[in-house]
Amino acid sequence: MDTGGNSLPSGSDAVKRKVCYFYDPEVGNYYYGQGHPMKPHRIRMTHALLAHYGLLQHMQVLKPFPARDRDLCRFHADDYVSFLKSITPETQQDQLRQLKRFNVGEDCPVFDGLFSFCQTYAGGSVGGAVKLNHGLCDIAVNWAGGLHHAKKCEASGFCYVNDIVLAILELLKTHERVLYVDIDIHHGDGVEEAFYTTDRVMTVSFHKFGDYFPGTGDIRDIGYGKGKYYSLNVPLDDGIDDESYHFLFKPLIGKVMEVFKPGAVVLQCGADSLSGDRLGCFNLSIKGHAECVKFMRSFNVPLLLLGGGGYTIRNVARCWCYETGVALGIEVDDKMPQHEYFEYFGPDYTLHVAPSNMENKNSRQLLEEIKCRLLDYLTKLQHAPSVQFQERPPDTEIPEADEDQDDGDERWEDFNMDVDDDRKLLSGRVKREAVEAEPKELEGQRGAAEHARGSEAMADETASAKPLNTVPMQMDEVNVKVEQENVKPSDQPYPKP
């Protein structure tokens, strides 16, 4: 089962794919606060590597439109979205009850531009799904996304808006079945919970289990009702290395692809499963982590690549740069080119870093037992479940300029702006990585009842949403420019199917 899908010529996965890459130059300016391990600046560092390795010229580079309130409310509760929109560092002391209600404050702090940050990373993920739905690319990439812990009406684990759930809902408009795979060290609880009772979305999470945030993801958690056996959890222990990881990953995902036959795949590439992560305890190399991307790519199914965790930010940038190369079918040089964040990568200034000699607590016997049990679950799946005909949500269109409409919406106006000149850091907003104490992990387990909370509405969701769109960025490797077309969303009613 070491080879990929049979849709490609055997023996090689060098077939080129059309890749769309989403990046907003402002994303690196958001700052969770002093001492917080989540640093959006890692996205800017990744982008700088992509530029100087010359990978941007091989992709369509897009600046995502920010997700609107109504886009976010396709999954999240209205009052939760309103709260995120209104809360600021200056007003939070007046809303202590709301902060507690929505789990905002410590691990998920209030910071300047919080709602704009959520709109940006969610816009990239949904925009990627739109591109895939329209057949405009084979692989869409949004390293700012992948925030998998956010729930319907609460923040969790540094995540406020669950861009993954929103992207999957978009993909379900076109595809009968969507597969979600999560290789972050933390369990993808927010996504699993959202789709726990449907057979249209299968979730597979590989994660550290046992006295570790968020405390969910037991191998016995397999879905509920129609969704039974459509949630797979792969509980792992400290120190897992490349060989042990792929001893499970390849046969399990190979079997899932064979049985479930998804029309599209979402892969959350959380980099906190890498060796040496500040909050992690796995021992994967960058190539071992990227092998998961390469394997999913080999099936030649529309693929959405998202970011996620990752708290040793120099290694996060290394990993996502290399995985972008994998998506493109380009092997990048280990010797790092000179760029504005070059000093972060000393003393070796290489793309790859050697795993540590930490003990692998995952015995071969334990791994064999996990594999056999999960493969047994997969035998209980009906092959490629059919989807009952129902009224379908309208497509999210990529709009074209409509000269007959002159009612203005400022987000659709022409503009031409310099994209950050990646060399400049905004003082006080983006901090360099420092060795800081790890935050206290959240505690508590969530049972199957919480998993099922509100999830049936997800797969059958039919509420219309205003189009969420993307616009190409024309970029060169040094001076990056953004040009947006003058386009407006159409508010004309969509014909029913």
Side-chain angles (χ1 to χ4, degrees):
M1 198 74 71
D2 282 346
T3 57
N6 56 14
S7 58
L8 291 174
S10 60
S12 174
D13 187 35
V15 178
K16 296 295 182 185
R17 306 288 196 279
K18 185 173 182 182
V19 179
C20 291
Y21 164 75
F22 289 80
Y23 175 72
D24 188 314
E26 292 299 315
V27 76
N29 295 341
Y30 298 105
Y31 181 54
Y32 275 61
Q34 186 171 4
H36 200 289
M38 176 62 107
K39 302 183 188 302
H41 179 49
R42 65 204 177 129
I43 311 302
R44 176 178 280 160
M45 291 172 61
T46 302
H47 183 78
L49 282 179
L50 295 177
H52 289 271
Y53 268 109
L55 295 178
L56 295 180
Q57 60 191 297
H58 298 283
M59 303 183 285
Q60 184 180 18
V61 182
L62 301 157
K63 181 177 187 289
F65 274 123
R68 292 180 171 183
D69 298 13
R70 65 172 66 190
D71 302 317
L72 303 178
C73 288
R74 293 192 60 220
F75 171 59
H76 293 287
D78 292 7
D79 54 352
Y80 175 56
V81 172
S82 296
F83 166 79
L84 290 177
K85 188 175 183 179
S86 64
I87 192 73
T88 68
E90 293 72 33
T91 63
Q92 62 178 325
Q93 289 304 315
D94 301 327
Q95 301 189 53
L96 296 179
R97 188 173 177 182
Q98 293 281 78
L99 289 168
K100 185 175 181 180
R101 175 187 174 194
F102 296 123
N103 195 36
V104 172
E106 292 189 16
D107 282 347
C108 301
V110 178
F111 55 84
D112 286 331
L114 169 59
F115 189 65
S116 177
F117 175 62
C118 295
Q119 290 179 294
T120 296
Y121 76 75
S125 297
V126 179
V130 170
K131 282 283 188 180
L132 293 170
N133 279 352
H134 285 79
L136 298 175
C137 63
D138 305 305
I139 301 174
V141 181
N142 178 34
W143 295 129
L147 277 66
H148 57 174
H149 295 306
K151 308 292 169 48
K152 182 181 179 71
C153 50
E154 70 176 49
S156 176
F158 316 158
C159 309
Y160 303 86
V161 164
N162 200 314
D163 60 289
I164 306 170
V165 172
L166 296 171
I168 291 173
L169 290 173
E170 188 66 35
L171 290 168
L172 287 172
K173 293 179 180 180
T174 297
H175 303 283
E176 290 186 351
R177 293 172 301 281
V178 175
L179 171 64
Y180 172 68
V181 181
D182 191 315
I183 60 173
D184 193 291
I185 195 172
H186 299 95
H187 177 231
D189 57 337
V191 184
E192 179 184 278
E193 180 180 309
F195 300 108
Y196 205 63
T197 61
T198 179
D199 59 0
R200 290 191 63 193
V201 178
M202 188 163 194
T203 62
V204 186
S205 179
F206 296 77
H207 52 268
K208 158 75 175 171
F209 182 72
D211 192 24
Y212 199 72
F213 180 84
T216 50
D218 193 292
I219 196 170
R220 295 170 293 184
D221 296 337
I222 55 175
Y224 183 78
K226 285 177 66 178
K228 189 174 182 180
Y229 301 117
Y230 289 91
S231 291
L232 287 186
N233 285 294
V234 188
L236 303 169
D237 209 342
D238 295 4
I240 192 162
D241 56 23
D242 296 349
E243 181 185 1
S244 297
Y245 203 89
H246 291 288
F247 176 78
L248 293 176
F249 187 89
K250 291 186 176 180
L252 289 173
I253 295 300
K255 191 65 176 177
V256 166
M257 295 297 290
E258 175 191 329
V259 175
F260 186 61
K261 298 189 185 307
V265 174
V266 178
L267 177 61
Q268 195 266 21
C269 303
D272 47 8
S273 47
L274 291 173
S275 179
D277 187 79
R278 185 175 152 194
L279 299 187
C281 54
F282 283 0
N283 199 22
L284 296 183
S285 70
I286 288 172
K287 284 191 175 180
H289 194 273
E291 185 67 23
C292 298
V293 178
K294 185 176 182 181
F295 190 69
M296 297 311 312
R297 179 188 190 272
S298 71
F299 291 95
N300 207 13
V301 171
L303 177 62
L304 178 60
L305 297 180
L306 303 175
Y311 308 101
T312 301
I313 61 174
R314 61 184 178 272
N315 290 346
V316 176
R318 285 174 159 123
C319 181
W320 291 345
C321 172
Y322 184 75
E323 289 177 344
T324 305
V326 169
L328 288 164
I330 297 172
E331 183 69 29
V332 292
D333 192 0
D334 187 37
K335 183 179 179 182
M336 192 168 288
Q338 281 278 351
H339 64 291
E340 51 270 38
Y341 305 114
F342 192 66
E343 68 273 15
Y344 279 76
F345 301 95
D348 297 328
Y349 305 102
T350 56
L351 197 64
H352 295 282
V353 289
S356 74
N357 59 357
M358 71 185 298
E359 178 191 358
N360 183 355
K361 295 184 178 180
N362 301 269
S363 68
R364 183 52 63 105
Q365 180 182 353
L366 175 65
L367 296 174
E368 191 69 56
E369 289 172 359
I370 292 172
K371 182 173 76 169
C372 290
R373 186 163 181 179
L374 293 173
L375 287 174
D376 181 61
Y377 287 158
L378 288 170
T379 65
K380 296 175 170 57
L381 284 182
Q382 67 174 77
H383 273 59
S386 59
V387 179
Q388 185 177 358
F389 180 80
Q390 56 188 311
E391 185 172 343
R392 182 172 170 276
D395 285 332
T396 299
E397 298 289 348
I398 299 177
E400 297 177 356
D402 185 347
E403 296 178 358
D404 296 328
Q405 289 186 338
D406 55 7
D407 50 325
D409 180 333
E410 63 181 9
R411 94 171 179 152
W412 303 91
E413 295 298 323
D414 269 336
F415 73 93
N416 187 358
M417 56 176 278
D418 286 325
V419 177
D420 77 31
D421 187 81
D422 280 319
R423 293 161 173 69
K424 297 175 183 174
L425 296 179
L426 299 191
S427 60
R429 295 290 294 278
V430 179
K431 303 288 186 182
R432 297 201 173 202
E433 180 184 18
V435 179
E436 297 152 350
E438 293 185 9
K440 186 170 67 176
E441 295 284 6
L442 296 181
E443 298 176 355
Q445 302 235 357
R446 303 185 186 278
E450 184 178 2
H451 278 305
R453 182 180 63 192
S455 59
E456 289 188 1
M458 292 303 96
D460 298 327
E461 189 266 8
T462 57
S464 63
K466 227 171 199 178
L468 195 150
N469 309 282
T470 58
V471 174
M473 282 205 300
Q474 305 298 324
M475 310 187 71
D476 60 39
E477 294 181 27
V478 182
N479 297 313
V480 184
K481 297 281 186 181
V482 185
E483 296 177 359
Q484 280 190 265
E485 300 169 6
N486 183 19
V487 290
K488 297 184 180 182
S490 170
D491 288 323
Q492 298 300 317
Y494 292 86
K496 291 185 179 180

